[in-house]
Amino acid sequence: MVERVLATEEALALIELLTEKHGPVMFHQSGGCCDGSSPMCYPEGDLILGDQDVCLGEIGGAPFYMHKNQYDYWKHTQIILDVVDGRGGMFSLEGVEGKRFLTRSRAFSTAELKELGLIQ
């Protein structure tokens, strides 16, 4: 099965650290308001999800959500969660660690698009 969201080893290590400190965490791909288009990490349950939020999968045991409008734009790509040095979104848990999560992506192949039911 094609995975819609993956994480680098560095991102998985940071998720593990954040989970040890804060308990279970979750991600929501920001839509570009206050924090740009950043993947935001919250303690699980701290962000109230709506009917329009789509769960793309789990990374490091953490669910990864995106609003449907944004998903419609990104659905042809695989999201790859990475981490870099620096400060990210002010509400995201990793900020105090001197790191920030970053979304990378790659376009799905034709075979993957077929498997996902996005084309025939």
Side-chain angles (χ1 to χ4, degrees):
M1 181 79 185
V2 178
E3 294 184 70
R4 293 187 176 273
V5 62
L6 300 174
T8 64
E9 290 299 320
E10 294 83 4
L12 291 171
L14 185 53
I15 292 168
E16 185 176 341
L17 174 70
L18 294 173
T19 300
E20 288 172 6
K21 287 185 170 188
H22 303 282
V25 298
M26 62 180 285
F27 287 88
H28 193 279
Q29 179 70 38
S30 172
C33 177
C34 302
D35 295 308
S37 294
S38 301
M40 304 292 287
C41 182
Y42 303 100
E44 195 165 11
D46 271 18
L47 179 69
I48 298 171
L49 298 169
D51 294 343
Q52 297 291 306
D53 289 307
V54 177
C55 184
L56 301 182
E58 288 190 3
I59 45 176
F64 191 100
Y65 296 91
M66 181 182 287
H67 189 275
K68 183 187 179 317
N69 290 343
Q70 196 167 8
Y71 168 75
D72 288 341
Y73 179 77
W74 286 82
K75 67 184 173 186
H76 296 93
T77 62
Q78 184 175 57
I79 304 296
I80 303 160
L81 187 71
D82 200 358
V83 82
V84 294
D85 291 332
R87 298 255 320 150
M90 66 179 150
F91 301 115
S92 195
L93 288 176
E94 79 279 4
V96 298
E97 305 299 328
K99 304 280 184 187
R100 70 181 184 94
F101 287 110
L102 175 76
T103 299
R104 301 185 190 281
S105 64
R106 72 165 187 88
F108 285 124
S109 68
T110 300
E112 290 170 322
L113 290 170
K114 285 180 181 178
E115 185 176 332
L116 290 167
L118 295 173
I119 62 172
Q120 293 184 348

